[in-house]
Amino acid sequence: MSGSVREPLPVGRILAPASIAIVGASADPRSFGGFVLANLERFGYAGEIHLVSRSSSEINGRACVKTVDELPEGIDLAVLAIPEAGVLDAVRSLAARKAHAAMLFASGYAEAGEDGRARQDALAELARAAGLLLVGPNCMGFTNLAAGIPLTFEPLPARERELRPGVGVVAQSGFMAANLREAFLGRRLPTTAVFSTGNEVSVGIEDVLAHYIADPQTRVVAVYAEQIRRPQLFLRLAASARAAGKPVVLLMPGRSARAREAAQSHTGALAGDHATAVAQLRSEAVVVVDSLDELVDTTAILLRFPVPPAGGTGFMTGSGAMKNLALDFCDDLGLDLPVLAPATVAKLEAMLPDYAVAENPLDYTTIGVRQPGLIGEVLLTMLDDPGIGNIVLAIPVGPEVAQRDKAGHIVPVVARATKPAVLVLTGDTSPIEPFFEEAIEASGVPMFRSADRALRALGNVAAYGEALQRAARAVADGAGALPLPGAVPANGIFAEYQGKGWLAQAGLAVPAGGLARSADEAAGIAARIGYPVVLKAQASELPHKSDVGGVLVGLADEAALRSGWDRLHASVASHRPELKLDGALVEAMGPRGLELVVGAKRDADWGPVVLVGLGGIWIEALKDVRLVPASMAEEDIVVELGRLKAASVLRGIRGAAGVDLPAIARVVALIGARMRANPQITEIDINPLVAYPAGSAQPVLALDALVVAVRD
């Protein structure tokens, strides 16, 4: 199963090989083999280089051998710059020569359909049997900037080794790997290595991620994944990264059906449930972003501030117009702009002119004209506010004299910030003087030319700070498994009375009642619980009872109940004559309240998640739900409820009282605990869960429940 956990493969010897063989070396400088050799020579690679070429006896003064069989034993990494047709034989020969690993540029494998997948499976089996690690196929290789080793067919300019702690990049797409490399280097951000994994016959993103987590030079990891093939291993590594204080920023397309289809055709990935994956990834504090810009921008900030605090965003500028735009944009993003504490307001008022309003967002007016250094002090004052977790300073680039003020007085102060602080230089592509650029680069202050991009990135940073705290509060597995309500039916679906009774054992509030197998038993139950009652047909094969007339409500007395008993059985028999009912569930009618849906499912790869949302049109028309991991703490579930589009309905509108949010959160947590403790359970659906005002004697009530399990 793709979700199974295994230990990561070691890739250190691949990333820093002491010996390299280029199979398919060529004197043609524009061939794949020619590009690889030229890159190694430009970067001054000091290890052994062995060339295999059928057409040349020497290239650039280096001797060539004709076949792989002539290579020395124990080559660290062989680069296969040859067509797909020759790959199997080359890998077989490399295995015989006891090579450690091979890297395949060739395409035409799983991304090319069933025939290609068969070729890839044969290649994988051969490598596995030989103990040879494979990078690719269908990849562009890697660039180890820290070690000065460029093993890619892209022609790269020579670079000095990167000695500063920086970003590690891993991407299944070679194009995206190269794009991210150029983006980070273009921003002059230290980048330790950039690795393209392609179709991942053996070495995958999880293996490279494990290397980056252990690598002291890598401070933050940027990932582009079209499919995480080993989800449980990835989640385990994400937890390790969190413990090590190394953010993992992930861009994973697949929100749309067409994106999922494209991912399959691109890398041969089998796209899973994207929403489930994102919920689980965020539970381990992986920073899942929605765009390439956000991947680059968020990584840039987290490189400087890898363990950001939770808290809202502060925004300051010298423009009322920019302040107003920030208000709108933050509202669109759902980005919190906290109200400043009274102590902060008092400090700001002492710094600002009388006509300035000490608030967030802050328009500090024209104070920078005479006292440019004061802007930085205002920023530090806002950052000291307990509600502020990060801040944006948006200022124009300005003429040369203004840039000197900013370089000398503002940038050094912003660099002292201990919470994420970013500088936005407005004016689009207006030129920045070299001395100003150098001051910004030397300071390490993240700089943007767009306030929109900066705020999106800070939203991700703030979410990461919150996720770190959520992960620390996540509920550890502790609840023991409850015996299932009986033998698992052939279709896996327990009848309502069984599933509801099982959940009631765990603490779920359900209506009073019981299963009746005759009209007399039904009358006895109704007499005990009181009228009016509900009557529901019960059978494993009848999960949708209303479709066959199997639900009757508002039965006011015994006569109505007995008459209803006959009508219900007659209706079910007319629709499903072959069906044998277990009986009928007799329950007290619950009082009216606000209807919600709580459901859980177990993804074969990603594990259990729980969905919560309002019922009726809210879920059908607006898809207004929150998907949360099964381990989320109750206090965080309450926060998620507040993020529903219809959250105002929960809180109470037009004079209606708000419902008991902690009571709803307890049900969500209870369902999560059951999913974690009972691995046989694959699905739980409570629809509706009726919620009542806070302080009610009965804060929530599950009117219907479906429990689905798999047989051992």
Side-chain angles (χ1 to χ4, degrees), residues 138-183:
N138 189 30
C139 76
M140 288 176 66
F142 66 82
T143 307
N144 186 340
L145 294 158
I149 303 175
L151 277 174
T152 176
F153 57 79
E154 302 170 86
L156 299 178
R159 293 185 60 89
E160 294 183 2
R161 291 175 58 181
E162 180 56 74
L163 302 178
R164 298 172 295 166
V167 181
V169 176
V170 58
Q172 288 166 338
S173 159
F175 173 86
M176 293 302 299
N179 187 29
L180 291 169
R181 182 192 64 224
E182 296 308 306

Side-chain angles (χ1 to χ4, degrees), residues 318-664:
S319 160
M322 181 61 74
K323 171 183 173 178
N324 293 336
L325 288 173
L327 281 167
D328 284 346
F329 195 72
C330 289
D331 187 67
D332 291 342
L333 286 177
L335 198 58
D336 182 30
L337 291 167
V339 175
L340 299 176
T344 305
V345 172
K347 291 177 182 177
L348 291 174
E349 286 177 342
M351 299 178 180
L352 299 170
D354 292 341
Y355 52 85
V357 181
E359 62 183 3
N360 182 33
L362 176 68
D363 172 10
Y364 54 74
T365 68
T366 57
I367 60 171
V369 175
R370 292 183 176 274
Q371 297 175 280
L374 186 57
I375 294 174
E377 295 303 319
V378 169
L379 179 141
L380 294 178
T381 300
M382 286 190 70
L383 268 185
D384 280 341
D385 188 278
I388 300 293
N390 56 76
I391 198 164
V392 175
L393 171 59
I395 54 178
V397 173
E400 180 181 345
V401 63
Q403 292 189 40
R404 290 199 180 276
D405 284 344
K406 295 175 177 74
H409 297 286
I410 295 176
V411 171
V413 180
V414 178
R416 288 162 41 197
T418 56
K419 298 178 185 178
V422 304
L423 181 64
V424 173
L425 297 180
T426 61
D428 201 13
T429 58
S430 57
I432 302 174
E433 296 290 343
F435 67 83
F436 193 13
E437 285 188 330
E438 291 169 6
I440 293 169
E441 182 183 358
S443 72
V445 171
M447 187 272 286
F448 294 82
R449 297 307 303 267
S450 160
D452 295 1
R453 287 182 61 166
L455 285 167
R456 285 188 187 277
L458 277 177
N460 292 322
V461 171
Y464 176 60
E466 181 181 319
L468 291 175
Q469 297 190 7
R470 281 191 173 191
R473 291 191 293 265
V475 180
D477 291 339
L482 281 176
L484 295 182
V488 179
N491 63 358
I493 303 173
F494 287 102
E496 179 191 352
Y497 74 96
Q498 293 175 301
K500 194 180 285 183
W502 184 75
L503 290 169
Q505 280 184 273
L508 181 68
V510 301
L515 182 71
R517 292 176 174 82
S518 68
D520 288 341
E521 285 187 9
I525 294 169
R528 172 171 56 83
I529 64 176
Y531 290 96
V533 297
V534 180
L535 193 64
K536 303 180 187 180
Q538 297 292 298
S540 169
E541 296 84 359
L542 196 61
H544 304 294
K545 301 174 283 292
S546 297
D547 295 347
V548 297
V551 178
L552 298 176
V553 301
L555 301 176
D557 52 31
E558 182 175 342
L561 174 61
R562 289 184 180 275
S563 174
W565 181 274
D566 293 338
R567 291 201 317 276
L568 179 142
H569 283 77
S571 179
V572 172
S574 69
H575 286 87
R576 298 283 301 274
E578 84 292 351
L579 182 62
K580 178 178 172 54
L581 294 180
D582 295 351
L585 184 59
V586 183
E587 287 185 332
M589 287 194 63
R592 289 185 178 276
L594 182 64
E595 292 189 0
L596 297 100
V597 174
V598 176
K601 71 171 184 176
R602 186 181 307 280
D603 185 271
D605 293 329
W606 290 99
V609 291
V610 186
L611 172 149
V612 59
L614 271 68
I617 63 167
W618 298 103
I619 193 168
E620 293 175 13
L622 302 180
K623 306 293 187 284
D624 188 17
V625 298
R626 303 297 298 181
L627 196 65
V628 303
S631 59
M632 181 172 280
E634 290 180 20
E635 63 184 282
D636 294 319
I637 295 170
V638 171
V639 175
E640 288 297 310
L641 292 171
R643 290 172 174 163
L644 287 164
K645 298 172 187 173
S648 59
V649 178
L650 292 171
R651 290 190 288 264
I653 57 175
R654 295 188 177 181
V659 295
D660 194 329
L661 296 180
I664 300 169

